[in-house]
C-alpha cells in the first residue's frame, strides 16, 4: 500500500517514529493507522526518514525516552493517569521530547478534552496550556499554514505548552488522525468537514509541520530565513 | 670643622582679640570716633588750657582702651640649629640609563657620589629611588643598580620622614629631573622641614632623538577582529624626514607604516592588526635607529593583547532533519558563546511536497555564499549526515580541505549519507578526516553497541567524563548504547581514536574507531561515526536522570576543535603578563602529549626568544609525574616583546608558547632630555642649593645641612593683666571728673 520501505538512517531504529501513547480507559487508538499514514506522508514529502511501523508505549515505561516524539489521541473521556504516568510525561518533555495531542471526539463531546486538560494540568500546571500564536514557527516549519484544520474545521488555533523556550506539547482539537486514516481498501476512512479534500491536504500539511517542528524547532525563525519567508507571505492572497 | 649648635629667636606680634586684624581695625575706628566726639564736645569751653587737657585725656583713654581691647601679644620662639646628616637620594630610574658621552647618566652619578661619600667625614645616608625609596649600603653604590620603572620624586622625599632618616638635615637629590608626574607644590615641600640640594645629571640641551612616546591600544581583543592602535612619536629636533614604524610579533613583521612629523616634531600613526591566535600575544613597535640617535632605547615599545573569542561561529549542515541534528542544534543554540548558522536539507529532488513553492517555507541552499564567500568566517563546520553530491558541492570540497589545513575546524557526524555512504572516500575531505573511508558497501552497521574508551585516550578532555580515569570509564558504561555505526577504516597518521567499537574491527585488525580526532596542518578535525549520539542525552537522562554527559562531550568537542586555550595539552603560564627589566619571572609548565597524557620526565627545553625570534635565554626542564614543572627566570634587561617557547629536545616545533612583555615603565624614555627646572624649584623652595652638573657639586662639608630644632615658645601679653584694667578705669575716671568740673556731661 505504501510502496517499498526504503530504510535510511543507519537502520530503522534511528528513523523518526511517531509513537502512540497507550493509556487505560478511554480510547487511545481512535484512528489506528493515522500515525503510520502521517509517517508515510512525511517521508514522501520531505527528506525526513520516518518509521512506518510505530509502537505504543505507556508514559510510565522507562523506554519512553528511546524516541523523542509521542502521539496521544482519543475520542472520549479517560480516567486520570497514574502518578508514574504523569511524572513520565513531565520528564519526557523536560528531557527534550515532543508530544502531539489529537482530539478525535465529535464536536459536542468534550470528554476527551476535559481529560487531556486534567492530565496536562497535573503534569505542567494549571496555566501551562495556552493558545499558540498564529505567527509561531510551527505554522511555517515546512508549509506555510495559515489556520489549523483536521478532519473537522475546529477552532482557528492550536494550543500548546512551552518548555525551555520551545513548544513541547501541541494540542489539536481538529481530529488530525481522522483526516489521515484510510480503510483497508486504501480509501480515506472519514470525510473532512466542511472543506472536502483541500481541507484534508491542509490537515496533512499541519501534520508535516508538526513533525518538522519537532525535529527542527525554531530553525525557520533563524535570521537567514526571514527575508525569504517574508517575501512569500506577502505574495499570498 | 665641627659645627656647633646655634640658637636663634624669632618674635611675632599678634592680636588675641576674636576676629584678629579685622576686629582690631573695627575697634580702632570706634576709638577714633570716641576721640572725635569727645573733642567736639569741648568746643564750648572758654579755657583753651582746659580744652587741651581734656582732649589729651580723651585721646590717651581711648587709645589705652583700644590697646586693652585688641590684646596684643608678643610670641617669642626659640629655635636651635643643630647639625644634621646629609641624605643622598640617587635617581635609579630607567631614564638614568640614557647615555651621555661615554657612559650613562647613572654611571656618571655613581662615580661622583662615590667620591662624595668617601671624602665626607660625616658619612651621608644613601638611598636610591625610582617608584619607591630604598636605603643602600656604600658597597651597593655601583652602576649595576637595578633600574626602576618610574620616577616619583615627591614620594621619595616624603618617605625620608621615616625613622631611618630622622636626623637628616639636608637632602642631596641626584637626578636627571625626569618626573613626568610631579607637580611642584611649594607648601608641601616646605613642610618637609629639610633643605633639598639638587644636582642635575645629564644634558639638558635637546639632543637628536626619535622616540615612540605613547602607544594606545585596548588590552583585550577578539580573535580575527581588527584591533586599532594609535602610536605617538616625537622627533627632536623637529624633522622633515619621515620614519618607518614597524609592527612585529614573535619575530614576524606584521606591517610597516610611514610617519611624518609636524613643525613641533610630533608624529602619529594609526594601525590595525588582526590577531590570529587565542590567548596572550606580545607585539613590538619600532623605528629604525639612526647613528646619531641619542636615545636608541626609546625607538622601541612593546605591548600585549589578551585575545579571546567573541563567539564561536559554527556552521551546521544537516542532510535531513533527524534527532541527532535536532539535539546538537539545541545544545549549540543554547550556548551564548556560540553563533550558530544551521541549514537543514528539508527536501530532496526525490521528495514530492504536493505544493507549489510559494506555499512552502523552503529556501535555496546557498552553497556559494557559504562555501565560497563566507567559508573562512566560520570557526567550525559540521556536516551531520550530509551528502554533498546532490547539491553540486564537489567544487567546494577542496576549499574546505584548504580551510582546515590553514587553521579551520571540521567535524563529520554519521548517518547513512555520511562518510563512505556519502561518497566522501575519493574527495579532498577524506584526506583531512581522522579515519580512512571505505569506497564500497557495506557502509553502515545497524547493531546497537556501547562504545569503549581506549585506555590511552582516557585523559583526552572530549571523553573525560570525570577527573579520575577509572571514574570516567565507569561513567561511559552508564551511557545509553548507541544504535548503528558508519563503517570506517583505520586511523590516518597523526589521528587518535577516542571511542572504539567493541566488536567491529578495521582491515588491519584494530578496533574500529567510532570517535576520532586529528590535527591536519594548522586545523583540527573530528569524526563521529554514528547518528545516535543524542541517546547520550535524552535516553540516558530518562534512565539515570542525568543528561550532562551529552552536554559535556559536545562542549569539550567544540572547545577542542576551536583550540580553546583552556584545553591546550601543553601550557606555559607566567605569574604576570608584563615584567620590569631583570625582574623575577615565575613560570609554570604543563606538558602533555596529544592524548593529554603527562609528558615526563624530559628533558625539555624552555627558550626565551625576542621579537625577532632570536634566542635570549634557554634552560633545560624536567617534569614531575603529572607533567608539571615550575621554574624561576630573570626577565631580559631590554624592554621588548618576548616569547617563551617549550620544546622537546631535538624538536623544531614548540609544544607551547606564551608571550610576555618587558616594560620600561611606559613613559620613562619618552622624553629623554634632562629637566633642570624642577630640580631648581625644589632647591629654591626649601632653602637648598642647585648644582647644574655633577662637576659643580662641592664636598659634603660645604653643603649646609643643619636642621632646626624648636626649644619652645614664650608669650607676653602686658595689656591682659588686672593692672591694665585698673589703669583704664583711673584714666576714664579722671576724665569724667574733669569734664564735670568744666560743666560738661
Amino acid at each position: 500500500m505504501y510502496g517499498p520501505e526504503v530504510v535510511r538512517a543507519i537502520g530503522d531504529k534511528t528513523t523518526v517514529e511517531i509513537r502512540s501513547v497507550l493509556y487505560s480507559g478511554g480510547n487511545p487508538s481512535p484512528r489506528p493507522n493515522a500515525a503510520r499514514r502521517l509517517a508515510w506522508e512525511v517521508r514522501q514529502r520531505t527528506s525526513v526518514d520516518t518509521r512506518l511501523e510505530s509502537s505504543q508505549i505507556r508514559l510510565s515505561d522507562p523506554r519512553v525516552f528511546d524516541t523523542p516524539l509521542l502521539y496521544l489521541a482519543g475520542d472520549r473521556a479517560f480516567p486520570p493517569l497514574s502518578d508514574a504516568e504523569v511524572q513520565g510525561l513531565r520528564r519526557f518533555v523536560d528531557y527534550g521530547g515532543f508530544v502531539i495531542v489529537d482530539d478525535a471526539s465529535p464536536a459536542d463531546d468534550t470528554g476527551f478534552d476535559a481529560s487531556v486538560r486534567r492530565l496536562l494540568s497535573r503534569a505542567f500546571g494549571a496555566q501551562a496550556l495556552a493558545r499558540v500564536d498564529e505567527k509561531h514557527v510551527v505554522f511555517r516549519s515546512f508549509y506555510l499554514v495559515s489556520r489549523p484544520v483536521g478532519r473537522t474545521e475546529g477552532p482557528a488555533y492550536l494550543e500548546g505548552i512551552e518548555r525551555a523556550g520551545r513548544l513541547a506539547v501541541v494540542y489539536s482539537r481538529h481530529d488530525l488522525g481522522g483526516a489521515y486514516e484510510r480503510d483497508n481498501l486504501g480509501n480515506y476512512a472519514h470525510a473532512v468537514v466542511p472543506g472536502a479534500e483541500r481541507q484534508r491536504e491542509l490537515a496533512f500539511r499541519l501534520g508535516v509541520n508538526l513533525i518538522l517542528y519537532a525535529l527542527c524547532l525554531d530553525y525557520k525563525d533563524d535570521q537567514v530565513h526571514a527575508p525569504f519567508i517574508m517575501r512569500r507571505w506577502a505574495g499570498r492572497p | 670643622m665641627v659645627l656647633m649648635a646655634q640658637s636663634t629667636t624669632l618674635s611675632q606680634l599678634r592680636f588675641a582679640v576674636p576676629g584678629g586684624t579685622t576686629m582690631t581695625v573695627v575697634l580702632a575706628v570706634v576709638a577714633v570716633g570716641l576721640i572725635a566726639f569727645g573733642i567736639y564736645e569741648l568746643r564750648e569751653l572758654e579755657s583753651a588750657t582746659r580744652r587741651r587737657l581734656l582732649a589729651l585725656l580723651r585721646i590717651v583713654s581711648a587709645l589705652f582702651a583700644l590697646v586693652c581691647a585688641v590684646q596684643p601679644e608678643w610670641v617669642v620662639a626659640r629655635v636651635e640649629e643643630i647639625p644634621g646628616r646629609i641624605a643622598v637620594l640617587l635617581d635609579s630610574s630607567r631614564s638614568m640609563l640614557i647615555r651621555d658621552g661615554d657612559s650613562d647618566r647613572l654611571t656618571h652619578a655613581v662615580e661622583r657620589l662615590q667620591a662624595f661619600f668617601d671624602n665626607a667625614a660625616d658619612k651621608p645616608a644613601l638611598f636610591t629611588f625610582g617608584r619607591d625609596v630604598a636605603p643602600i649600603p656604600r658597597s651597593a653604590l655601583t652602576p649595576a643598580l637595578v633600574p626602576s620603572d618610574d620616577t616619583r620624586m615627591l614620594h621619595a622625599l616624603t618617605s625620608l620622614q621615616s625613622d631611618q632618616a630622622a636626623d637628616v638635615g639636608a637632602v642631596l637629590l641626584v637626578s636627571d629631573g625626569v618626573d613626568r608626574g610631579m607637580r611642584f607644590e611649594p607648601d608641601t615641600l616646605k613642610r618637609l622641614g629639610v633643605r633639598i640640594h639638587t644636582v642635575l645629571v645629564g644634558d639638558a640641551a635637546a639632543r637628536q632623538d626619535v622616540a615612540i612616546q605613547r602607544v594606545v591600544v585596548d588590552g583585550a581583543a577578539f580573535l580575527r577582529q581588527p584591533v586599532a592602535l594609535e602610536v605617538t612619536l616625537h622627533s627632536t629636533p623637529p624633522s622633515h624626514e619621515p620614519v618607518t614604524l614597524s609592527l612585529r610579533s614573535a619575530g614576524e613583521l606584521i606591517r610597516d607604516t610611514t610617519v611624518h612629523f609636524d613643525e613641533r616634531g610630533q608624529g602619529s600613526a594609526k594601525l590595525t592588526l588582526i590577531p590570529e591566535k587565542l590567548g596572550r600575544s606580545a607585539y613590538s613597535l619600532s623605528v629604525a635607529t639612526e647613528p646619531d640617535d641619542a636615545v636608541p632605547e626609546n625607538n622601541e615599545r612593546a605591548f600585549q593583547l589578551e585575545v579571546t573569542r567573541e563567539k564561536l561561529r559554527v556552521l551546521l549542515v544537516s542532510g535531513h532533519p533527524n534527532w541527532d541534528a535536532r539535539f546538537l542544534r539545541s545544545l549549540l543554540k543554547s550556548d551564548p558563546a556560540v553563533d550558530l548558522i544551521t541549514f537543514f536539507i528539508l527536501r530532496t529532488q526525490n521528495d514530492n511536497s504536493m505544493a507549489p513553492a510559494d506555499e512552502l517555507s523552503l529556501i535555496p541552499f546557498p552553497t556559494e555564499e557559504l562555501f565560497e564567500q563566507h567559508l573562512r568566517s566560520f570557526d567550525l563546520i559540521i556536516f551531520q549526515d550530509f551528502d554533498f553530491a546532490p547539491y553540486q558541492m564537489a567544487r567546494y570540497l577542496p576549499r574546505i580541505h584548504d580551510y582546515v589545513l590553514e587553521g579551520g575546524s571540521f567535524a563529520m557526524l554519521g548517518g547513512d549519507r555520511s562518510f563512505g555512504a556519502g561518497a566522501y572516500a575519493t574527495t579532498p575531505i577524506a584526506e583531512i578526516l581522522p579515519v580512512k573511508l571505505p569506497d564500497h558497501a557495506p557502509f553502515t552497521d545497524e547493531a546497537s553497541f556501547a562504545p569503549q574508551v581506549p585506555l590511552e585516550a582516557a585523559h583526552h578532555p572530549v571523553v573525560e567524563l570525570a577527573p579520575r580515569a577509572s571514574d570516567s570509564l565507569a561513567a561511559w558504561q552508564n551511557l545509553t548504547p548507541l544504535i548503528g555505526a558508519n563503517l570506517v577504516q583505520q586511523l590516518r597518521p597523526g589521528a587518535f581514536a577516542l571511542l572504539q567499537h567493541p566488536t567491529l574491527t578495521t582491515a588491519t585488525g584494530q578496533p574500529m574507531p567510532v570517535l576520532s580526532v586529528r590535527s591536519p596542518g594548522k586545523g583540527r578535525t573530528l569524526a563521529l561515526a554514528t547518528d545516535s549520539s543524542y541517546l547520550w542525552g535524552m535516553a540516558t537522562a530518562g534512565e539515570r536522570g542525568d543528561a550532562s554527559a551529552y552536554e559535556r562531550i559536545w562542549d569539550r568537542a567544540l572547545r577542542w576543535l576551536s583550540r580553546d586555550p583552556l584545553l591546550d595539552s601543553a601550557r606555559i603560564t607566567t605569574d604576570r603578563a608584563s615584567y620590569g627589566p631583570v625582574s623575577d619571572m615565575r613560570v609554570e609548565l604543563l606538558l602533555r602529549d596529544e592524548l593529554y597524557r603527562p609528558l615526563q620526565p624530559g628533558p625539555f627545553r624552555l627558550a626565551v626568544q625576542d621579537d625577532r625570534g632570536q634566542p635570549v635565554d634557554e634552560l633545560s626542564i624536567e617534569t614531575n609525574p603529572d607533567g608539571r614543572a615550575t621554574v624561576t627566570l630573570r626577565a631580559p634587561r631590554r624592554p621588548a616583546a618576548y616569547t617563551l617557547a617549550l620544546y622537546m629536545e631535538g624538536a623544531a616545533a614548540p609544544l607551547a608558547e606564551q608571550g610576555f612583555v618587558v616594560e620600561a615603565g611606559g613613559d620613562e624614555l619618552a622624553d629623554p632630555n634632562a629637566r633642570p627646572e624642577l630640580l631648581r624649584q625644589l632647591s629654591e623652595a626649601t632653602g637648598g642649593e642647585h648644582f647644574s652638573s655633577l662637576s659643580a657639586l662641592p664636598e659634603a662639608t660645604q653643603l649646609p645641612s643643619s636642621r632646626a630644632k624648636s626649644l619652645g615658645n614664650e608669650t607676653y601679653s602686658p595689656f591682659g593683666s588686672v593692672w591694665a584694667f585698673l589703669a583704664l578705669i583711673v584714666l576714664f575716671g579722671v576724665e569724667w571728673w574733669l569734664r564735670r568740673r568744666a560743666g560738661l556731661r
Side-chain angles (χ1 to χ4, degrees):
Chain A
M1 188 68 62
Y2 303 111
E5 291 186 11
V6 178
V7 175
R8 306 209 68 180
I10 302 181
D12 195 41
K13 291 180 183 173
T14 54
T15 52
V16 176
E17 178 188 355
I18 306 173
R19 191 185 242 184
S20 296
V21 176
L22 186 62
Y23 54 87
S24 300
N27 181 11
S29 297
R31 314 296 185 210
N33 64 33
R36 176 184 171 87
R37 188 69 186 94
L38 178 59
W40 171 253
E41 291 294 331
V42 169
R43 179 190 281 197
Q44 292 299 111
R45 298 172 183 234
T46 75
S47 61
V48 176
D49 298 335
T50 56
R51 187 185 311 180
L52 298 183
E53 298 301 328
S54 62
S55 57
Q56 288 182 311
I57 194 161
R58 285 189 176 273
L59 292 169
S60 53
D61 191 321
R63 293 169 300 165
V64 74
F65 304 99
D66 289 352
T67 185
L69 177 61
L70 290 177
Y71 174 67
L72 190 157
D75 62 4
R76 67 198 67 167
F78 58 87
L81 301 192
S82 67
D83 289 343
E85 288 172 303
V86 172
Q87 186 187 48
L89 174 61
R90 187 188 311 117
R91 292 176 69 216
F92 176 83
V93 164
D94 284 347
Y95 292 151
F98 183 78
V99 182
I100 302 172
V101 182
D102 187 15
D103 184 355
S105 310
D108 56 351
D109 186 345
T110 59
F112 178 79
D113 178 70
S115 300
V116 163
R117 293 182 188 279
R118 180 185 60 222
L119 169 62
L120 296 179
S121 177
R122 286 177 65 196
F124 305 109
Q127 309 301 320
L129 191 63
R131 284 193 189 186
V132 177
D133 192 300
E134 62 184 11
K135 293 186 176 53
H136 193 280
V137 67
V138 72
F139 294 111
R140 44 189 162 82
S141 55
F142 190 84
Y143 293 101
L144 298 176
V145 173
S146 54
R147 186 208 195 276
V149 290
R151 181 189 64 79
T152 63
E153 191 176 49
Y157 53 86
L158 294 172
E159 291 172 277
I161 294 175
E162 294 251 350
R163 300 289 274 190
R166 66 179 174 96
L167 194 60
V169 178
V170 170
Y171 178 29
S172 161
R173 298 191 63 199
H174 308 81
D175 191 9
L176 297 176
Y180 306 153
E181 192 176 29
R182 288 182 185 263
D183 60 24
N184 291 339
L185 298 175
N187 302 311
Y188 287 110
H190 309 282
V192 290
V193 178
E197 293 310 300
R198 175 62 181 171
Q199 181 173 319
R200 192 187 307 279
E201 169 59 22
L202 295 178
F204 273 120
R205 292 186 183 186
L206 177 60
V208 168
N209 271 27
L210 290 173
I211 302 305
L212 267 291
Y213 177 78
L215 290 164
C216 302
L217 298 178
D218 61 350
Y219 166 63
K220 282 297 176 183
D221 269 342
D222 286 353
Q223 193 76 11
V224 66
H225 297 279
F228 293 92
I229 292 174
M230 293 305 217
R231 279 201 293 273
R232 295 227 174 96
W233 277 117
R236 297 178 71 220
Chain B
M1 182 173 79
V2 176
L3 292 175
M4 302 295 290
Q6 298 174 0
S7 62
T8 56
T9 56
L10 301 168
S11 299
Q12 184 187 21
L13 172 67
R14 65 181 185 210
F15 298 107
V17 63
T21 306
T22 305
M23 183 56 70
T24 302
V25 171
V26 169
L27 291 173
V29 169
V30 170
V32 168
L34 280 173
I35 294 169
F37 182 72
I39 293 174
Y40 176 76
E41 283 184 323
L42 297 176
R43 69 190 186 283
E44 296 170 1
L45 286 181
E46 291 181 3
S47 170
T49 303
R50 193 168 277 177
R51 280 202 307 274
R52 283 194 285 272
L53 178 62
L54 285 172
L56 181 63
L57 266 176
R58 172 53 63 98
I59 292 169
V60 170
S61 302
L63 290 179
F64 196 82
L66 173 64
V67 171
C68 289
V70 300
Q71 291 296 312
E73 293 178 338
W74 279 265
V75 180
V76 178
R78 288 178 55 220
V79 174
E80 187 179 27
E81 289 283 332
I82 59 175
R85 291 179 75 194
I86 294 175
V88 174
L89 208 52
L90 172 62
D91 183 351
S92 62
S93 66
R94 186 140 191 91
S95 62
M96 292 289 283
L97 298 183
I98 293 173
R99 295 187 74 81
D100 270 335
D102 56 351
S103 60
D104 56 57
R105 293 171 181 171
L106 184 64
T107 300
H108 286 310
V110 164
E111 287 173 354
R112 179 67 187 95
L113 286 176
Q114 284 173 340
F116 180 87
F117 184 94
D118 294 340
N119 294 338
D122 193 4
K123 299 300 180 187
L126 293 173
F127 299 86
T128 61
F129 80 95
R131 189 189 299 274
D132 297 300
V133 177
I136 59 167
R138 166 63 175 89
S139 56
L141 185 61
T142 71
L145 289 168
V146 176
S148 174
D149 295 339
D150 200 357
T151 307
R152 296 168 63 191
M153 277 188 210
L154 189 59
H155 173 71
L157 290 167
T158 51
S159 296
L160 283 184
Q161 301 296 84
S162 64
D163 288 341
Q164 63 184 332
D167 61 345
V168 169
V171 172
L172 177 63
L173 178 65
V174 183
S175 171
D176 56 7
V178 178
D179 183 344
R180 294 166 73 89
M182 180 166 177
R183 289 184 304 173
F184 182 65
E185 297 174 5
D187 290 340
T188 304
L189 295 168
K190 282 178 189 161
R191 280 199 291 273
L192 294 176
V194 291
R195 290 190 185 85
I196 301 176
H197 306 294
T198 54
V199 184
L200 178 68
V201 182
D203 193 349
R207 281 128 19 115
Q208 197 119 356
D209 178 57
V210 171
I212 299 178
Q213 276 193 326
R214 203 158 69 117
V215 179
V216 178
V217 61
D218 283 340
F222 294 117
L223 184 69
R224 290 194 284 275
Q225 298 291 320
V227 178
L229 287 78
E230 287 188 35
V231 186
T232 306
L233 295 87
H234 190 264
S235 170
T236 308
S239 171
H240 295 296
E241 294 296 319
V243 297
T244 300
L245 178 67
S246 302
L247 174 65
R248 286 188 170 81
S249 179
E252 288 187 23
L253 177 67
I254 298 174
R255 70 174 38 85
D256 283 332
T257 189
T258 301
V259 180
H260 297 267
F261 297 100
D262 63 19
E263 63 279 1
R264 292 171 301 142
Q266 287 292 109
S268 65
K270 290 186 179 175
L271 297 93
T272 302
L273 68 92
I274 299 180
E276 296 285 343
K277 196 164 71 83
L278 292 169
R280 191 196 313 153
S281 295
Y283 298 84
S284 67
L285 288 157
S286 62
V287 292
T289 301
E290 297 301 322
D292 53 357
D293 190 311
V295 191
E297 292 89 346
N298 59 19
N299 288 34
E300 222 175 293
R301 289 286 284 268
F303 65 95
Q304 54 195 338
L305 296 175
E306 283 292 343
V307 182
T308 54
R309 197 189 299 274
E310 190 175 27
K311 283 203 175 191
L312 185 67
R313 287 209 70 187
V314 179
L315 172 64
L316 170 63
V317 180
S318 178
H320 61 110
N322 61 83
W323 295 122
D324 216 30
R326 191 265 219 172
F327 281 90
L328 178 58
R329 178 177 173 274
S330 288
L331 185 66
L332 295 176
K333 277 212 76 173
S334 69
D335 189 338
V338 172
D339 203 359
L340 177 67
I341 292 181
T342 312
F343 279 92
F344 284 103
I345 305 300
L346 300 182
R347 182 181 69 167
T348 69
Q349 292 170 336
N350 300 325
D351 298 321
N352 181 3
S353 303
M354 311 281 286
D358 65 347
E359 294 180 6
L360 300 168
S361 65
L362 307 185
I363 62 169
F365 182 32
T367 53
E368 182 179 340
E369 194 177 346
L370 290 174
F371 300 107
E372 197 149 312
Q373 297 174 23
H374 298 299
L375 177 65
R376 277 167 173 69
S377 69
F378 296 110
D379 298 305
L380 169 63
I381 296 173
I382 303 175
F383 280 5
Q384 195 280 328
D385 202 13
F386 172 69
D387 50 344
F388 66 93
Y391 315 103
Q392 290 78 50
M393 275 192 57
R395 66 181 186 274
Y396 300 119
L397 300 186
R399 294 177 59 82
I400 297 173
H401 169 276
D402 294 345
Y403 153 85
V404 169
L405 294 187
E406 291 163 13
S409 300
F410 178 79
M412 181 171 283
L413 312 185
D416 73 316
R417 297 164 172 81
S418 200
F419 294 104
Y424 285 99
T426 54
T427 70
I429 297 296
E431 296 171 22
I432 58 173
L433 288 176
V435 288
K436 294 186 178 176
L437 302 182
D439 57 7
H440 58 81
F443 294 115
T444 59
D445 182 272
E446 297 180 14
S448 295
F449 68 99
Q452 297 170 339
V453 178
L455 271 178
E456 62 272 19
H459 292 287
H460 198 285
V462 174
V463 293
E464 190 183 48
L465 297 183
R468 284 173 47 183
S470 55
D471 294 339
S472 177
L473 294 174
W476 274 101
Q477 298 301 318
N478 289 333
L479 297 187
T480 300
L482 300 174
I483 302 174
N486 287 85
L487 296 179
V488 296
Q489 295 177 353
Q490 62 271 25
L491 293 168
R492 284 188 173 270
F496 300 96
L498 303 185
L499 291 175
Q500 59 195 24
H501 202 283
T503 56
L504 296 176
T505 57
T506 66
T508 59
Q510 297 299 312
M512 189 190 81
V514 174
L515 174 63
S516 52
V517 293
R518 185 172 170 225
S519 299
K522 296 182 182 176
R524 288 192 170 178
T525 57
L526 178 147
L528 178 59
T530 182
D531 62 352
S532 57
S533 69
Y534 70 93
L535 296 174
W536 291 334
M538 184 171 179
T540 302
E543 287 175 28
R544 302 186 185 278
D546 181 12
S548 62
Y550 178 76
E551 294 162 7
R552 182 187 177 95
I553 291 163
W554 276 111
D555 175 74
R556 294 295 184 87
L558 285 179
R559 288 180 184 275
W560 183 85
L561 282 164
S562 61
R563 294 184 181 278
D564 189 324
L566 287 176
L567 291 191
D568 282 343
S569 57
R571 198 155 59 230
I572 301 173
T573 309
T574 56
D575 59 332
R576 288 161 55 184
S578 67
Y579 297 88
V582 297
S583 54
D584 285 340
M585 298 176 56
R586 182 182 164 86
V587 181
E588 293 184 355
L589 307 166
L590 174 62
L591 282 87
R592 296 173 294 188
D593 64 11
E594 287 168 290
L595 283 174
Y596 293 77
R597 295 172 296 192
L599 281 173
Q600 60 96 19
F604 305 98
R605 186 164 53 90
L606 180 65
V608 181
Q609 298 164 343
D610 66 12
D611 51 2
R612 284 164 176 77
Q614 299 302 309
V616 173
D617 197 3
E618 197 171 281
L619 63 160
S620 182
I621 304 288
E622 289 197 355
T623 54
N624 65 15
D626 291 333
R628 295 180 185 272
T630 301
V631 297
T632 301
L633 299 173
R634 188 58 72 92
R637 180 174 281 268
R638 182 175 72 91
Y642 293 89
T643 303
L644 285 164
L646 190 61
Y647 298 86
M648 289 191 72
E649 276 298 346
L655 293 168
E657 288 181 309
Q658 178 64 280
F660 68 95
V661 162
V662 174
E663 289 184 310
D667 297 331
E668 266 289 305
L669 298 181
D671 186 352
N673 296 312
R675 300 277 194 84
E677 316 83 48
L678 185 60
L679 298 179
R680 192 174 295 117
Q681 286 173 341
L682 282 171
S683 295
E684 286 172 359
T686 59
E689 294 182 44
H690 172 69
F691 304 98
S692 59
S693 67
L694 286 165
S695 57
L697 175 66
E699 299 303 334
T701 52
Q702 294 170 318
L703 279 180
S705 63
S706 61
R707 60 194 178 97
K709 179 181 175 185
S710 173
L711 298 177
N713 298 336
E714 290 183 22
T715 302
Y716 300 95
S717 180
F719 293 95
S721 68
V722 172
W723 298 110
F725 181 67
L726 288 176
L728 182 64
I729 291 175
V730 167
L731 279 173
F732 274 115
V734 170
E735 185 195 354
W736 175 79
W737 182 68
L738 289 175
R739 285 169 69 88
R740 288 296 297 261
R741 287 276 315 259
L744 297 173
R745 292 177 286 129

